[in-house]
């Protein structure tokens, strides 16, 4: 199912595992079971991204999370991809000693 803004939800769920494999452990607790999700409202049990949605990276061990939101209806697929890359980069950024 491809949304008009260019997010292919079926491909996202396939891609999610590949993304999770590239995420570094949690910078706070060291947890390694990091989750990557697309959060959006639903309408009648179906995804409804006509208003907003956001990418989220979550450590279920300690609850640490990063979010990168996108206001839909005004954004292009390039904006979605950039938001996704921004959150991955932010999570994987570490301060060097």
């Amino acid at each position: 199912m491809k949304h008009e803004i260019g997010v292919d939800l079926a491909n996202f769920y396939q891609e999610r595992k590949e993304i999770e494999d590239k995420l570094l452990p949690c910078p706070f607790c060291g947890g390694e079971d990091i989750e990557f999700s697309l959060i959006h409202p639903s309408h009648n049990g179906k995804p409804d991204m006509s208003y907003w949605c956001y990418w989220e990276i979550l450590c279920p061990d300690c609850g640490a999370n990063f979010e990168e939101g996108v206001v839909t209806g005004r954004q292009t697929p390039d904006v979605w991809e950039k938001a996704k890359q921004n959150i991955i980069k932010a999570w994987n950024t570490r301060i060097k000693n």
Side-chain angles (χ1 to χ4, degrees):
M1 167 179 39
K2 190 164 188 168
H3 191 273
E4 66 271 10
I5 57 172
V7 175
D8 186 333
L9 293 177
N11 284 343
F12 167 72
Y13 294 115
Q14 293 172 358
E15 178 188 25
R16 178 171 59 187
K17 179 63 178 147
E18 294 172 21
I19 291 171
E20 289 176 343
D21 289 344
K22 295 177 185 176
L23 296 172
L24 294 177
C26 178
F28 303 103
C29 75
E32 296 184 0
D33 190 25
I34 307 303
E35 299 172 0
F36 184 74
S37 301
L38 176 62
I39 308 297
H40 54 77
S42 61
H43 181 69
N44 294 329
K46 297 180 181 176
D48 180 3
M49 297 185 294
S50 58
Y51 302 107
W52 60 266
C53 63
Y54 59 92
W55 304 110
E56 178 185 56
I57 296 177
L58 170 70
C59 174
D61 293 340
C62 72
N65 73 322
F66 282 18
E67 298 172 354
E68 180 79 20
V70 177
V71 177
T72 58
R74 297 183 230 151
Q75 307 298 348
T76 65
D78 292 344
V79 172
W80 280 90
E81 184 63 27
K82 184 173 182 175
K84 181 172 66 174
Q85 295 307 318
N86 284 346
I87 193 172
I88 293 167
K89 182 178 178 182
W91 181 268
N92 284 340
T93 297
R94 300 293 189 267
I95 296 173
K96 296 179 183 174
N97 293 335

